[in-house]
Amino acid sequence: QYGLTQGHEDNPRLASLLVLHAVVRYGMAIALLVTTHSVTATVFGMFLGTTLGALLGWPLVARFVGPRAAAIPDLRSQVLHATHALFALFLATNIDLLLARYFLTADESGAYAVGAIVSKIAFWLPSFIAVVTFARMVDGRRNATTLKAAMAVSGIGILLVLGLVAVPQLVLAAVAGPNYMFMSPYLWLFGVIGSAFSVAQFVLYSRLAVDDRKAALALWGAVVLIAVGVTIWHASVATVAVVVAGVATLVAVLGVSLLVNDKRRGVAATPEPPLEALEAP
């Protein structure tokens, strides 16, 4: 449903779906959490809410579903590659939590998990830019879109990091409480981790838009570098965060450099036929 509205660039309808699904999913989860105080029941509520949200969302996208399926060349290969690339992104952005739990003490790994909440906020907040620009990166509008959008993602990330430098106590009070105020001096590192990986995510989406299959290699490289780096340097929460932030920043810089190079060389996406042509019998 998200893909149908995203592909047709119907952002108001996409936003409606996102709100509908979130309200139903988390509404049912919170209701069962409050009434049962059970983790299992809460997850079951999330499952029920997700299923109900998907059913309620179909009427909003029915107009986009044609009477016949379009023939899309090489679809199976594209889906497999995109799945593999997004798995690499998922692993690169989560392996630090597993490593922190293994190498740090229980209290330290708990503190790192608090920092990871901040990094996930920084990671997901700019993700709407990739969502609303993805269709533009598939066709002839690509060159006018990619670099500007990447700069917008980077700009949001920079603002987040500056905010974490300026008021870390306020953020910690909101996400963790007074027991974690000792993380204030280095909380900004988690902002760097999330923001840099958000840039990497946008670059990955921009490459998936034109079926470029090399971008995932950088993410697998990030997984290896994080694993090796944290295995060697894990003296404290801050040490692990520095290693992960360094790798994430390197991947982001390489990704933006790739977009700049594409812009300089005038690389463009292959023009796609209009949706009306694909949907025609």
Side-chain angles (χ1 to χ4, degrees), residues 8-32:
H8 284 80
E9 299 184 68
D10 191 337
N11 293 324
R13 197 175 298 262
L14 173 60
S16 299
L17 283 169
L18 289 166
V19 172
L20 170 66
H21 294 165
V23 168
V24 177
R25 179 170 67 249
Y26 292 113
M28 295 194 72
I30 292 171
L32 285 177

Side-chain angles (χ1 to χ4, degrees), residues 1-5 13 17 54 56-66:
Q1 294 169 17
Y2 296 156
L4 286 168
T5 51
R13 197 175 298 262
L17 283 169
L56 294 174
W58 270 115
L60 292 176
V61 300
R63 64 188 296 264
F64 297 135
V65 181

Side-chain angles (χ1 to χ4, degrees), residues 2 6 11 14 18 126-135 202 205:
Y2 296 156
Q6 181 185 23
N11 293 324
L14 173 60
L18 289 166
S127 63
F128 72 91
I129 295 175
V131 172
V132 300
T133 59
F134 190 83
F202 175 81
Y205 281 16

Side-chain angles (χ1 to χ4, degrees), residues 40-217:
T40 302
T42 302
V43 175
F44 185 67
M46 186 88 70
F47 161 72
L48 289 178
T50 302
T51 304
L52 179 60
L55 294 173
L56 294 174
W58 270 115
L60 292 176
V61 300
R63 64 188 296 264
F64 297 135
V65 181
R68 295 186 181 183
I72 304 177
D74 201 28
L75 177 62
R76 184 179 303 171
S77 175
Q78 290 182 36
V79 169
L80 287 173
H81 167 66
T83 303
H84 153 260
L86 292 174
F87 174 71
L89 175 67
F90 174 80
L91 195 57
T93 54
N94 288 281
I95 192 173
D96 58 329
L97 271 172
L98 298 176
L99 294 168
R101 186 172 179 83
Y102 182 80
F103 286 110
L104 300 177
T105 66
D107 289 342
E108 288 175 330
S109 65
Y112 195 92
V114 169
I117 295 174
V118 174
S119 67
K120 289 296 182 287
I121 293 171
F123 176 70
W124 287 113
L125 184 61
S127 63
F128 72 91
I129 295 175
V131 172
V132 300
T133 59
F134 190 83
R136 292 174 174 266
M137 295 189 289
V138 175
D139 57 28
R141 299 170 292 176
R142 177 177 176 81
N143 274 339
T145 301
T146 51
L147 199 54
K148 291 179 182 177
M151 291 299 102
V153 174
S154 302
I156 293 173
I158 290 171
L159 290 175
L160 281 168
V161 172
L162 291 176
L164 291 170
V165 171
V167 288
Q169 297 88 351
L170 182 62
V171 176
L172 285 169
V175 302
N179 292 336
Y180 292 91
M181 289 299 165
F182 65 89
M183 297 177 61
S184 297
Y186 54 85
L187 188 67
W188 63 274
L189 285 169
F190 292 94
V192 171
I193 293 171
S195 299
F197 273 131
S198 188
V199 174
Q201 179 190 47
F202 175 81
V203 174
L204 177 64
Y205 281 16
S206 76
R207 311 318 292 180
L208 291 176
V210 291
D211 199 25
D212 182 347
R213 309 200 173 188
K214 299 185 293 293
L217 295 177

Side-chain angles (χ1 to χ4, degrees), residues 234-277:
H234 52 262
S236 65
V237 173
T239 304
V240 175
V242 166
V243 172
V244 181
V247 174
T249 302
L250 175 63
V251 174
V253 170
L254 290 175
V256 172
S257 300
L258 178 64
L259 296 181
V260 171
N261 190 48
D262 283 354
K263 181 78 171 179
R264 185 181 299 117
R265 294 187 296 116
V267 175
T270 303
E272 296 285 340
L275 286 170
E276 292 76 7

